[in-house]
Every structure is written in structure tokens, then in C-alpha cells.
Amino acid sequence: QVQLVESGGGLVQPGGSLRLSCAASGSIASIYAMAWYRQAPGKQRELVAGISNGGRTNYGDSVKGRFTISRDNAKNTVYLQMNSLKSEDTAVYYCNAGSVHQYWGQGTQVTVSS
């Protein structure tokens, strides 16, 4: 079992920045990759960014150049630095861990509005 706890969401103005954190606990050694997804009202959940155990990253087209995913293995934590936020980035952001099973956090709300 893997437990994921997200933090760092909130309300930010367009053009602003936020950093999300996802702390993992439990069967950490079984995780091969972690990612951030998001889901806006009325839309499907979509991949925002992913990072493998080897540090390889990938991003959704809509966030390339604005968001950065990173990980601190000593803290078992993955981060999502979000810059130049737009109103269309408003969504619930979920942390995901890939293991024998897929694990999800509870989600954290990000609202971009003036």
C-alpha cells in the first residue's frame, strides 16, 4: 500500500505561481514513477506531468515551459512548480504513484482567478 498526501493548492491570480507537494508513505520501494494529474469541472482527468525513478520527466502540452515536476527522494516527496498560471489551469490536482497498483491522493484545489 502507498499513501499520498497533497498540499499547496489555493487561490492565485493569473500570472502567479504555486508549488504543490505530494508526500508518499508506505511501500515506497515499489513505486516506479509518480505524476500529477488534474481534473476541471466537466472535463476528463488529464496528465499534467510525470517523473520516473530515474528522473525522466514528461509534461502535458498545455503546461510545457510553465510547470516543472521534481522529486526529493530523501523526503519521499514530489513537487509541481506552477508558474505563469492561467485561468484554464483551474482544477483539482491529484498526485499519482505507479506501483503494482495505481495510487491516488485526495486531490488539492487550484483556482486561478482575479
Side-chain angles (χ1 to χ4, degrees):
Q1 290 284 338
V2 174
Q3 293 79 42
L4 303 172
V5 179
E6 301 110 332
S7 61
L11 173 64
V12 63
Q13 292 186 342
S17 298
L18 278 176
R19 189 178 80 157
L20 305 183
S21 300
C22 173
S25 60
S27 301
I28 303 298
S30 68
I31 298 173
Y32 57 81
M34 295 188 71
W36 287 95
Y37 286 75
R38 68 186 182 187
Q39 188 166 19
K43 295 187 177 181
Q44 290 188 330
R45 190 172 296 190
E46 64 174 355
L47 174 69
V48 177
I51 186 166
S52 69
N53 277 357
R56 182 175 299 178
T57 60
N58 64 293
Y59 296 91
D61 288 341
S62 62
V63 306
K64 286 179 181 177
R66 299 188 298 123
F67 291 10
T68 303
I69 189 170
S70 62
R71 62 193 300 165
D72 184 335
N73 291 330
K75 296 182 178 180
N76 297 322
T77 299
V78 172
Y79 303 97
L80 184 68
Q81 178 66 44
M82 305 185 294
N83 298 328
S84 302
L85 283 160
K86 306 175 182 179
S87 58
E88 51 262 44
D89 295 317
T90 295
V92 178
Y93 284 69
Y94 297 92
C95 182
N96 168 270
S99 179
V100 176
H101 305 287
Q102 295 291 317
Y103 295 94
W104 296 90
Q106 79 285 357
T108 185
Q109 176 71 47
V110 172
T111 302
V112 185
S113 175
S114 55

